[in-house]
Amino acid sequence: MVTQLTGQPTTDDDIVHLTVPADGGYLSVLRTATAGLAARLQFALDEIEDLRIAVDEACAMLLAIAAADAELDCRFAVTEDALTVEVTVPTMPGARLPAESSFAWKVLTALTTSAGARASDGRATISLLTRRASGW
């Protein structure tokens, strides 16, 4: 059992892991997976669209600093009322994520419950947490 950013326990059955080439042409796969998992949690249509946009923005930020021929790893963790998305990519030497004061970060924080990033050992990760606002 694993405890996610939501503070709620999940099991391995609640984790979806996708790896795609770090190329914008594959982002539609991640957007579709995001929408499907959010729909499974009975998110409202506008919540699903906000999350799709946030995942797309996070991936775009990472693609800008991705190493050549890299793969984009996306991990979705599903709990009863939330979806956590972690996107990771190997980076070019010296690459930096946009500042938290940038427009891209303003988009992420406006569209999700919380967003965070970390970079270490030649990899950058952006984590997004979205809780379902509407009732069942």
Side-chain angles (χ1 to χ4, degrees):
M1 189 163 299
V2 178
T3 301
Q4 296 302 316
L5 295 176
T6 61
Q8 298 177 358
T10 64
T11 64
D12 288 341
D13 294 339
D14 298 318
I15 305 294
V16 176
H17 185 234
L18 295 174
T19 302
V20 297
D23 179 294
Y26 292 92
L27 295 185
S28 63
V29 173
L30 299 180
R31 287 191 303 266
T32 301
T34 300
L37 291 169
R40 178 178 168 215
L41 288 170
Q42 299 180 356
F43 277 40
L45 289 177
D46 59 331
E47 293 171 321
I48 293 171
E49 188 58 25
D50 286 351
L51 189 53
R52 283 172 35 104
I53 294 167
V55 167
D56 194 58
E57 187 66 35
C59 290
M61 289 168 61
L62 291 175
L63 290 179
I65 60 171
D69 299 323
E71 290 185 326
L72 196 63
D73 292 321
C74 191
R75 184 176 177 273
F76 301 89
V78 179
T79 61
E80 186 176 307
D81 69 341
L83 181 61
T84 302
V85 183
E86 289 187 350
V87 187
T88 303
V89 69
T91 60
M92 298 179 290
R96 297 176 59 99
L97 287 164
E100 289 189 18
S101 61
S102 70
F103 178 75
W105 275 106
K106 300 292 183 202
V107 170
L108 291 183
T109 57
L111 297 175
T112 61
T113 304
S114 66
R118 63 185 180 279
S120 65
D121 300 325
R123 295 189 70 79
T125 301
I126 295 177
S127 301
L128 308 171
L129 167 65
T130 300
R131 292 188 186 280
R132 183 173 23 84
S134 58
W136 287 58

